[in-house]
Amino acid sequence: MKTTINVSICMITYGQEKFIYDAIMGVLEQRCTYDIELIIAEDCSPDNTIVVVNNIIETHPLGHKIKYTRHNSNKGMMSNFIWAIGQCKGNYIAFCEGDDYWIDPQKLQKQIDFLEINPDYSIIHSDYVLLTPSGDIKSNNILPILDYDINYLIQYNCIRTVTCVLRNKQDITYGLSSDLPYGDWPLFLNSMRYGKSKFLTDITAVYRTNVGVTSSHNFRFPIFN
């Protein structure tokens, strides 16, 4: 059941003690007229992520916006992802994994404003930059068209999760399971059964390369079997 919270930010993390501070602060620094909650699902990390997160909760003026769970045992990336989405009570869900971060303080405001006045759209995402392990910033050279439907997304998995906001539907996690190598693309396909996708040319986020989990796209999603 959704509450008056307008936007839930879903943040899964594992072993990202070095990066989680930037991820959280990028959310808390949003200048947004919508109410937010930050769902942090930590998958029993073997580091001091818990110390970093709890320090922000205790000392930051918006620390009360954070709903932090550290699982007692490791669930695995997909199980943790599905669990975290299930905790999101807002009308909209935004995503920022623990190794990425937002750099546009107006990100949520712009994206939610668009979805509020365009009910025929289910997803809005944006441009971003890449941060290499050596500290180099690189442009994103793969840009989608500005407006598209589900058929385009089936051919081109063009949405970077850290830039995305989607409508929170009751069956949003349909077909997701721990057996899948990743969950973002199936999640977006689910969402686009209800509307189109909008791409903003604004650069709103930083995606760290060669950090976290990568996987191939060679599986079939249940909707299209």
Side-chain angles (χ1 to χ4, degrees):
M1 181 68 66
K2 298 183 180 66
T3 69
T4 55
I5 295 170
N6 295 105
V7 191
S8 299
I9 298 92
C10 179
M11 182 178 292
I12 60 171
T13 184
Y14 174 78
Q16 295 167 335
E17 173 190 353
K18 296 180 180 179
F19 311 123
I20 193 72
Y21 178 87
D22 290 339
I24 295 173
M25 294 308 295
V27 173
L28 298 184
E29 290 171 358
Q30 289 293 299
R31 296 197 291 269
C32 181
T33 59
Y34 301 101
D35 193 16
I36 70 168
E37 63 173 0
L38 172 55
I39 306 296
I40 302 178
E42 188 211 325
D43 203 11
C44 195
S45 299
D47 61 11
N48 289 318
T49 296
I50 186 173
V51 176
V52 178
V53 176
N54 280 334
N55 182 61
I56 296 174
I57 292 174
E58 293 169 3
T59 63
H60 195 281
L62 296 179
H64 62 283
K65 298 288 187 180
I66 300 174
K67 297 181 179 180
Y68 171 52
T69 299
R70 184 181 189 274
H71 299 303
N72 292 326
S73 59
N74 186 264
K75 297 173 71 69
M77 182 189 69
M78 275 302 302
S79 293
N80 190 34
F81 184 57
I82 296 168
W83 182 90
I85 294 172
Q87 309 310 302
C88 295
K89 307 303 181 185
N91 301 103
Y92 302 96
I93 305 178
F95 300 89
C96 182
E97 294 183 358
D99 54 345
D100 302 324
Y101 59 99
W102 297 345
I103 55 175
D104 181 356
Q106 294 288 332
K107 176 187 184 295
L108 288 180
Q109 188 71 47
K110 290 184 286 190
Q111 292 180 308
I112 304 300
D113 281 352
F114 178 86
L115 292 175
E116 282 284 289
I117 63 176
N118 293 279
D120 54 329
Y121 285 80
S122 292
I123 296 179
I124 182 167
H125 62 113
S126 72
D127 199 1
Y128 59 94
V129 294
L130 298 95
L131 176 60
T132 69
S134 61
D136 296 326
I137 296 289
K138 296 185 177 182
S139 298
N140 165 38
N141 294 321
I142 304 175
L143 301 179
I145 58 179
L146 298 183
D147 296 85
Y148 57 91
D149 62 15
I150 192 171
N151 294 310
Y152 183 86
L153 186 63
I154 291 172
Q155 299 179 64
Y156 307 103
N157 181 11
C158 56
I159 301 175
R160 182 62 70 184
T161 309
V162 68
T163 74
C164 175
V165 175
L166 51 77
R167 299 186 190 275
N168 189 4
K169 297 290 187 178
Q170 186 174 6
D171 61 348
I172 196 67
T173 58
Y174 168 78
L176 271 65
S177 75
S178 59
D179 296 328
L180 295 177
Y182 60 92
D184 48 2
W185 188 45
L187 185 74
F188 303 150
L189 291 172
N190 268 343
S191 183
M192 287 192 67
R193 291 184 295 156
Y194 298 100
K196 299 180 292 184
S197 180
K198 176 70 174 179
F199 173 70
L200 292 180
T201 57
D202 304 39
I203 295 174
T204 68
V206 174
Y207 171 76
R208 296 183 193 268
T209 62
N210 300 316
V211 175
V213 179
T214 58
S215 53
S216 64
H217 292 189
N218 57 352
F219 74 95
R220 297 191 65 182
F221 191 55
I223 291 177
F224 308 108
N225 279 351

